[in-house]
């Protein structure tokens, strides 16, 4: 998939994944250059050839890209803050591409991301997915960790994934929660974390009820989602929220969802007896 | 649909609809008997032959039903409180049917309601919908009030209804919000009011953005929903929430959604320029 000697440019937002991806590339014999977004990127990226860029230095990005020996570009990591352009003076070239560049970091929907990919491809780069560099970021089919879904829990695995798939098909969201056969929450603009907080509030108010460990969080990629720049993700925070809710498990679409900080996530799931499973789902086939 | 001389028994929860339904029956020349749930039913039902029943007097219900001259039974109105059975002594007959009766008033999902219908049908009654007695409760195809959907707004009408239909098909919920072509919220266990509050919070946090009047609340019945006892409803509260959000309009499935307090609801929508429209949707056909 990648020519091993060609350099890889990584544009790094927050979290541990960018350094993880950089390390995976280096381990595969590939030189990397990491462009860290200031205020977002983890200091750990400094272990690799790198440069931190402020929002006001976006013009530098073009220079960096054209000086790279490789054409491959990876976007990875979270972007929490919006740029603050007060007091920043930009040259005309930067001004011209600013709108396109901003779309990458501000946006989140498919159109914006396709626009970003086109922007970099126009500059001769090829955008590839972080999971193509660090393949073990992706959840494969089968269980992760030690806990297993029982028979009653299998029904919630299927119900939650069917729901997540249905809302993906209408481009609304990626995740759903099913408890004892009933769909209790569907994700749209609020995101998975906020959806799980809502289920916790509904449970506290006894608007939804279950005793002991029950119910499943399902998460899928939308059929039309560009996995190179926008792959659904679960991680330690997701696992902790599921444990806090007394869910029985988490089921994700195999091959199309990332697990971040895998070892720690599985350790916590195992400690709590929460199952995590990747489920095969050929596009177009119902669960 | 109804034999006009036969008596109609109305089991009345809260709100103005039970008295409205009773008045519609009387106007059609049909005698009514209203059983008001204490603490829920509006005092206005006292204008009709009636009895208020406490949760502890559920045994009386069997007596009332068997003394009725007609077999037709309507459930209508909201039930907010859960029964408190502390200190209530029940006879054996009531105990035996208690579980069934409770299911009617506590539950909300289809299984529970079908159970309730079977319970009363076993006792010789025929459960009919409030909208079969007061047909103008139902939203017909076409606009209500003065405002109309523009061209951009038509897209959100279709997107919101398609989303509401998709989540109905998986038995998850009835309502969705679409703004400028994007689905921002899907309803499940939280209900329509809470979903609209969530959209307001997302808008306040600038997680979803629109300026001026835009976006549509769509609401449909689930394909499998028993409209006799569980018809989706909009009313003044829904209209006020939509106005507060600066939505452009509300679109509902024609013939399968009720509008409560119609005149007042339309008056407020007209004052704010909010459109309300009923959209035809043959079951099985996509929007």
């Amino acid at each position: 998939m990648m020519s091993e000697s060609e350099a890889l440019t990584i544009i790094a937002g927050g979290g541990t994944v960018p350094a993880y991806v950089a390390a995976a590339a280096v381990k595969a014999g590939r030189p990397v250059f990491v462009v860290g977004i200031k205020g977002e990127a983890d200091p750990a990226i400094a272990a690799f050839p790198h440069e931190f860029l402020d929002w006001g230095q976006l013009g530098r990005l073009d220079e960096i890209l054209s000086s790279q020996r490789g054409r491959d570009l990876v976007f990875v990591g979270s972007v929490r803050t919006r740029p603050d352009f007060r007091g920043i003076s930009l040259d005309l070239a930067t001004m011209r591409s600013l709108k396109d560049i901003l779309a990458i970091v501000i946006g989140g929907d498919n159109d914006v991301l396709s626009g970003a990919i086109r922007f970099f491809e126009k500059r001769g780069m090829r955008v590839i997915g972080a999971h193509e560099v660090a393949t073990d970021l992706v959840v494969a089919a089968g269980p992760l960790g030690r806990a297993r879904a029982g028979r009653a829990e299998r029904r919630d695995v299927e119900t939650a994934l069917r729901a997540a798939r249905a809302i993906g098909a209408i481009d609304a969201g990626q995740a759903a929660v099913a408890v004892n056969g009933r769909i209790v929450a569907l994700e749209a603009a609020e995101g998975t974390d906020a959806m799980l907080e809502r289920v916790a509030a509904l449970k506290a108010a006894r608007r939804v009820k279950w005793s002991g460990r029950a119910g499943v969080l399902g998460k899928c990629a939308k059929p039309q989602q560009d996995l190179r720049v926008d792959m659904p993700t679960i991680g330690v925070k997701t696992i902790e929220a599921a444990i806090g809710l007394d869910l029985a498990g988490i089921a994700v679409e195999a091959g199309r969802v990332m697990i971040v900080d895998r070892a720690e996530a599985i350790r916590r799931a195992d400690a709590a007896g929460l199952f995590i499973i990747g489920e095969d789902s050929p596009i177009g086939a119902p669960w």
Side-chain angles (χ1 to χ4, degrees), chain A residues 18-76:
Chain A
Y20 187 85
V21 171
V26 169
K27 201 172 161 193
R30 191 164 195 191
V32 297
F33 188 86
V34 186
V35 180
I37 301 172
K38 263 189 206 166
E40 300 282 354
D42 194 277
I45 66 160
F48 306 92
H50 70 284
E51 183 163 338
F52 281 97
L53 283 194
D54 214 334
W55 291 116
Q57 305 170 278
L58 289 170
R60 277 281 297 142
L61 199 55
D62 257 346
E63 289 177 55
I64 291 171
L65 293 178
S66 54
S67 71
Q68 286 304 300
R69 279 154 305 136
R71 296 180 308 117
D72 285 358
L73 181 66
V74 166
F75 294 95
V76 61

Side-chain angles (χ1 to χ4, degrees), chain A residues 10 14 48 54 90-91 97 103 114 161 174 242 264 270 279 283:
Chain A
I10 299 173
F48 306 92
D54 214 334
L90 300 158
D91 63 33
S97 54
S114 334
L161 287 177
Q174 305 175 333
E264 176 65 12
D270 281 350
E279 291 277 319
I283 287 279

Side-chain angles (χ1 to χ4, degrees), chain A residues 123-170:
Chain A
R123 281 155 179 77
M125 303 300 287
R126 186 175 68 144
V127 177
I128 62 174
H131 62 286
E132 296 177 74
V133 179
T135 50
D136 65 349
L137 281 173
V138 181
V139 179
L144 276 70
R146 282 195 302 269
R148 295 289 179 271
R151 196 161 155 183
E153 293 156 347
R154 279 304 311 171
R155 184 177 61 152
D156 283 341
V157 165
E158 279 151 34
T159 304
L161 287 177
R162 200 181 312 118
R165 189 176 173 78
I167 63 173
I170 56 171

